[in-house]
Amino acid sequence: MGEGKGNTIPTTNRWRGGQLSLDRPMLRPALCILLYVVLATVYLERWPVPDFDEGLYANPALNLIQKGNFGSSAMSGVFDLGRVTFWFLPLHSLLLWVPIKLFGFHVWAVRLFSVLCGLLTLLALYKLARSLGVGDKAATLLI
């Protein structure tokens, strides 16, 4: 076959000087999200030091799994809070039921839900900024 312009396959050069170009629209946000996930999960169990309030908020989810009630056994002597929890809004503890049910009652399982919420917040913030007409670089700075 002859060598003509119709026989060549167009290629794009994404490498500049041996490095991947950061000019691709989704590469910067993806790297920022990856950095967040890595930093948030590496120290998930150790930092910050676990405090008693994490257990208090996760305890109703554990009781829902083990006993079938949404009470806080840590507060069982106060106003019948061992059977029903009225001392905080229950949505967070209800949503903690999923990672505790899947992975067991561990510090990292309780904190995993917060990392997931942070990830969804970063993605939503980036999408909101892009929908408002903010440039890719500026939207990436938001996350």
Side-chain angles (χ1 to χ4, degrees), residues 2 5 20 26 31 34 41 44-45 59 62 66 72 75 77-78 80-81 91 101 106 108-109 120 124:
K5 289 186 179 180
L20 185 61
M26 293 305 292
L31 289 175
L34 180 66
T41 55
L44 195 60
E45 194 172 286
N59 186 256
L62 180 65
Q66 292 178 342
S72 179
M75 306 273 288
V78 181
D80 201 23
L81 292 178
L91 182 62
K101 184 75 172 171
H106 304 285
W108 62 268
L120 293 176

Side-chain angles (χ1 to χ4, degrees), residues 14 16 20-25 27-28 31 136-137:
R14 294 185 179 157
R16 295 182 186 159
L20 185 61
S21 170
L22 291 177
D23 291 336
R24 294 175 52 195
L27 187 59
R28 273 191 215 102
L31 289 175
D136 182 56
K137 291 179 183 178

Side-chain angles (χ1 to χ4, degrees), residues 81-102:
L81 292 178
R83 189 177 56 82
V84 181
T85 298
F86 291 115
W87 56 281
F88 63 89
L89 297 174
L91 182 62
H92 182 255
S93 288
L94 284 173
L95 293 175
L96 280 178
W97 178 86
V98 175
I100 292 173
K101 184 75 172 171
L102 290 175

Side-chain angles (χ1 to χ4, degrees), residues 12-131:
T12 57
N13 185 7
R14 294 185 179 157
W15 292 89
R16 295 182 186 159
Q19 297 179 354
L20 185 61
S21 170
L22 291 177
D23 291 336
R24 294 175 52 195
M26 293 305 292
L27 187 59
R28 273 191 215 102
L31 289 175
C32 289
I33 296 295
L34 180 66
L35 180 67
Y36 167 76
V37 169
V38 167
L39 291 177
T41 55
V42 166
Y43 296 108
L44 195 60
E45 194 172 286
R46 293 173 280 194
W47 187 84
V49 176
D51 200 5
F52 73 94
D53 62 343
E54 289 175 316
L56 285 178
Y57 284 105
N59 186 256
L62 180 65
N63 283 340
L64 190 61
I65 293 168
Q66 292 178 342
K67 300 176 184 175
N69 68 7
F70 196 64
S72 179
S73 54
M75 306 273 288
S76 62
V78 181
F79 301 114
D80 201 23
L81 292 178
R83 189 177 56 82
V84 181
T85 298
F86 291 115
W87 56 281
F88 63 89
L89 297 174
L91 182 62
H92 182 255
S93 288
L94 284 173
L95 293 175
L96 280 178
W97 178 86
V98 175
I100 292 173
K101 184 75 172 171
L102 290 175
F103 304 116
F105 192 66
H106 304 285
V107 173
W108 62 268
V110 171
R111 290 180 175 181
L112 188 64
F113 177 70
S114 296
V115 170
L116 179 63
C117 287
L119 178 65
L120 293 176
T121 301
L122 292 176
L123 291 172
L125 184 62
Y126 178 79
K127 293 298 276 182
L128 176 68
R130 293 294 290 157
S131 69

